[in-house]
Amino acid sequence: MSERPMTLWQAGDVGQLIGGAAVLLAAAWLDLRLAAVLVVWLAAWAANVGLTRFAGRWARYLVPTIFGLTILVLWQMTVRLYAVPGIILPPPTAIAQTFAANLPTLWQDFAQTFLKGALGGYAIGCSTAVATAVLIDRSDFLQRGLLPVGNFVAALPIVGMAPIMVMWFGFDWQSKAAVVVVMVYFPVLVNTLEGLRAADPMQRDLMATWGACYGQSLRKLRLPAAMPFIFNGLKIATTLALIGAIVAEFFGSPIMGMGFRISTEVGKLNLNMVWAEITVAALAGSAFYGLVAVAEKAVTFWHPSQRG
Amino acid sequence: MRSVWPVTAVLLVILALWYAGSIWLNAQWVYDQAARANTTVTLADLIPQTMNQTRPVLPAPHQVAAELWKTVVMTAPTSKRSLIYHGWVTLSATLLGFAIGTAAGVLLAVGIVHNRAMDMSVMPWAIASQTIPILAIAPMIIVVMNSVGITGLVPKAIISAYLSFFPVVVGMVKGLRSPDAMQIDLLRTYGASGAQVLGKLRLPASMPYLFTSLKVGVAAALVGSIVGELPTGAIAGLGARLLSGSYYGQTVQIWSALFAAAALAAVLVGIIGVVQRLTLARMGMDR
């Protein structure tokens, strides 16, 4: 593991090559299509094995990219070669076509579910949670009471609140935002409370010797020290926000939105559109997480985990 | 034990707020009824009337408790009105999926730790998948498997497995890598094989990480099977109770299903917590 020779292939590979060839021959004897799929898989895997032997920086991005592309190619090949019906698993090219042809609809759904429901609820929920944590931070009694309750609630299936919120706030995005508020509130609260305790007594004493009042000590020492914890909560909340907004639409929504589109198009067995919507959800989810991670990097640049 | 009083106080405040909320939210209905009957209601009349509606906006806590008592204790567990029956439908799918997801996750983590190509190919995708709302594919899995002829437990279990899979992979990779270089070098000087390093050092060292991710995984699995019950049109399970309650405006039923789901989650996480404490104590790893 430690010594890594700079040759692409090693002695042990010959054995693996023979093994691979034997598997291929057996597959070809059974079914030519299976052999074709296996050829692509083994070739891509061999390329990756070769690439990992170079400890280059670019290999770290190239290897997962090759792996992802291989999965897509295999998916396409399998669906086409075995003529899998489109109502069970559509090929990636068909999904891409549907995606490109329905951009206005997809954007409308994205705006309804993500920009209004998820982002609105995320902003309200996270800011209320941080504010609550700062408020109850001065009372040891409240902290000891709320922390176990918050930890408990954070593990519960809160998505189940969705039907109640839809009843209270109507079908439009307000009810989705309400579900998101409830979902993100407790993880952020618990993490912020933990973070506010992160400044160690020595640092607090130093602030006290400088005659800093509560507000100054909070602003200049304890909130900055809490930032890594707060951002941990904020990152967990990004995924929860999107899940909450989508699932809440399964319980009733106006005739747009990602959750609405998924459940109705599934009903029509129009799986191309469902997969296109799932692509949007995946892109939105990772972009949202990425944005929060970038913000974290900018705010907590001093933390050891960011300097590595 | 220091926290008993604060926690009790917080819970009492929540209960009081709940009662206040149910009076406030249900008052409109009472006023409407009174206006229709051309009578006026005093405050003393109002409060009891907000507590005993059949379809309240927010049911009072004792109504939910009564419904839970009726559907859990007073109804036979085989009846379709029993929450035990619906809870078991959800629980069995959750447990099956959780077992599959955990086993697959641990296996993949072992592979990732031992194979560099696997690590570099799969690990970035496993981490990225944590930021994706995987739950969105639940309706598709259910409907597609239904159209192939697979119904009932298995589709829900697949969703649960899928949701609990990724936390376990990420946590176990971290855990299997937690022994430091010194310890691994020591085993190498003993001439230990890869399997021996795995069995005697990596797996034992990963236990705290395993239990932490199991807790996350089982909660995710429960959410997965509840959401998996929505698209089939409310046949059985806690998710079906939520959906039919929301169709027919049966708020008391929704809240009792919600509490049953919460209790189920608490019990599952609690069981893993107990096993964790016992295991780690036996291994001398508890703090």
Side-chain angles (χ1 to χ4, degrees):
Chain A
M1 233 182 168
S2 51
E3 79 272 13
R4 196 171 297 128
M6 290 304 284
T7 50
L8 195 51
W9 303 108
Q10 292 170 0
D13 294 337
V14 178
Q16 288 184 7
L17 216 60
I18 297 172
V23 171
L24 273 181
L25 277 177
W29 182 66
L30 281 171
D31 185 353
L32 271 177
R33 296 175 293 185
L34 184 63
V37 170
L38 276 177
V39 162
V40 174
W41 170 254
L42 288 177
W45 192 252
N48 267 354
V49 169
L51 274 174
T52 52
R53 298 215 172 121
F54 296 105
R57 272 182 71 84
W58 45 273
R60 204 181 303 158
Y61 299 100
L62 201 58
V63 170
T65 315
I66 292 180
F67 183 76
L69 288 177
T70 313
I71 297 286
L72 281 183
V73 170
L74 288 179
W75 176 355
Q76 179 85 20
M77 279 178 73
T78 315
V79 171
R80 284 270 183 260
L81 288 176
Y82 287 91
V84 177
I87 54 160
I88 290 178
L89 186 67
T93 47
I95 297 167
Q97 277 166 7
T98 316
F99 189 94
N102 291 291
L103 278 180
T105 319
L106 291 173
W107 171 256
Q108 190 194 23
D109 294 342
F110 172 77
Q112 168 77 13
T113 304
F114 186 76
L115 298 181
K116 289 182 187 165
L119 264 190
Y122 183 80
I124 299 171
C126 293
S127 51
T128 340
V130 172
T132 321
V134 171
L135 281 179
I136 66 173
D137 162 64
R138 288 175 112 166
S139 155
D140 188 45
F141 183 79
L142 274 181
Q143 269 199 49
R144 273 193 280 137
L146 269 176
L147 209 57
V149 175
N151 263 323
F152 175 71
V153 176
L156 299 183
I158 304 185
V159 202
M161 291 288 284
I164 294 160
M165 293 302 171
V166 170
M167 256 177 217
W168 285 0
F169 296 99
F171 281 170
D172 209 358
W173 62 271
Q174 288 88 346
S175 61
K176 281 70 198 175
V179 176
V180 175
V181 168
V182 185
M183 279 187 83
V184 301
Y185 183 79
F186 286 99
V188 177
L189 177 74
V190 169
N191 275 291
T192 311
L193 279 179
E194 207 167 309
L196 286 173
R197 294 187 190 162
D200 65 45
M202 196 82 96
Q203 295 167 320
R204 291 187 204 198
D205 285 352
L206 184 63
M207 293 302 276
T209 57
W210 284 337
C213 67
Y214 170 79
Q216 282 172 323
S217 156
L218 182 72
R219 221 171 37 245
K220 304 213 186 258
L221 169 64
R222 300 185 51 219
L223 269 183
M227 277 305 160
F229 293 86
I230 296 180
F231 269 102
N232 187 29
L234 291 181
K235 283 198 285 191
I236 297 172
T238 55
T239 322
L240 289 178
L242 211 49
I243 290 177
I246 292 177
V247 173
E249 288 182 358
F250 295 161
F251 287 95
S253 68
I255 52 163
M256 55 185 173
M258 286 151 71
F260 165 80
R261 195 75 58 201
I262 288 174
S263 55
T264 47
E265 299 292 335
V266 156
K268 291 191 249 167
L269 284 179
N270 182 7
L271 287 197
N272 290 345
M273 193 61 188
V274 176
W275 277 101
E277 205 71 63
I278 287 171
T279 314
V280 174
L283 290 176
S286 30
F288 193 12
Y289 187 93
L291 275 181
V292 176
V294 167
E296 177 185 25
K297 210 158 209 158
V299 174
T300 65
F301 57 89
W302 49 271
H303 195 260
S305 71
Q306 299 291 340
R307 288 187 306 206
Chain B
M1 283 295 112
R2 255 168 16 113
S3 310
V4 172
W5 280 115
V7 171
T8 319
V10 165
L11 290 178
L12 284 177
V13 169
I14 292 176
L15 202 64
L17 282 177
W18 187 351
Y19 267 112
S22 70
I23 292 175
W24 181 56
L25 286 167
N26 299 336
Q28 192 58 47
W29 187 81
V30 178
Y31 284 130
D32 288 350
Q33 288 292 94
R36 233 170 274 159
N38 272 326
T39 52
T40 51
V41 278
T42 58
L43 194 67
D45 293 336
L46 174 72
I47 292 175
Q49 287 192 40
T50 56
M51 303 270 169
N52 294 307
Q53 301 170 2
T54 44
R55 288 180 185 185
V57 181
L58 174 63
H62 67 261
Q63 285 180 292
V64 178
E67 170 83 6
L68 277 173
W69 175 261
K70 198 180 85 188
T71 50
V72 171
V73 182
M74 303 303 283
T75 318
T78 47
S79 157
K80 287 212 168 183
R81 291 170 184 276
S82 164
L83 262 187
I84 303 235
Y85 165 77
H86 290 285
W88 168 247
V89 169
T90 305
L91 179 67
S92 52
T94 305
L95 288 182
L96 179 62
F98 177 61
I100 298 172
T102 307
V106 171
L107 279 181
L108 184 64
V110 169
I112 283 176
V113 169
H114 283 91
N115 185 328
R116 207 179 136 70
M118 213 160 165
D119 175 23
M120 289 177 74
S121 310
V122 180
M123 205 50 197
W125 294 106
I127 292 173
S129 71
Q130 302 247 297
T131 68
I132 296 172
I134 306 177
L135 210 51
I137 65 166
M140 186 175 63
I141 291 185
I142 299 284
V143 171
V144 166
M145 297 203 83
N146 263 334
S147 72
V148 185
I150 305 171
T151 52
L153 193 68
V154 178
K156 285 188 283 177
I158 286 175
I159 296 168
S160 292
Y162 202 55
L163 283 174
S164 55
F165 173 69
F166 290 107
V168 173
V169 172
V170 175
M172 271 307 272
V173 167
K174 211 186 253 179
L176 291 171
R177 290 224 170 105
S178 63
D180 59 36
M182 195 91 90
Q183 295 168 316
I184 292 179
D185 282 350
L186 179 65
L187 281 196
R188 196 169 293 159
T189 61
Y190 291 159
S193 66
Q196 282 171 323
V197 175
L198 179 70
K200 294 194 193 299
L201 176 61
R202 287 190 191 273
L203 274 180
S206 70
M207 282 305 132
Y209 296 85
L210 174 67
F211 284 112
T212 312
S213 41
L214 284 186
K215 283 183 193 167
V216 178
V218 82
L222 183 62
V223 173
S225 52
I226 289 177
V227 173
E229 282 156 2
L230 300 180
T232 47
I235 299 169
L238 293 176
R241 293 292 279 183
L242 287 177
L243 193 66
S244 68
S246 99
Y247 279 164
Y248 304 115
Q250 298 284 358
T251 40
V252 184
Q253 181 188 325
I254 298 181
W255 280 93
S256 57
L258 206 54
F259 269 75
L264 210 53
V267 168
L268 288 174
V269 174
I271 289 175
I272 293 177
V274 170
V275 176
Q276 172 182 30
R277 204 167 305 152
L278 290 179
T279 314
L280 294 190
R282 185 127 173 83
M283 292 171 70
M285 291 171 92
D286 55 341
R287 284 173 292 167

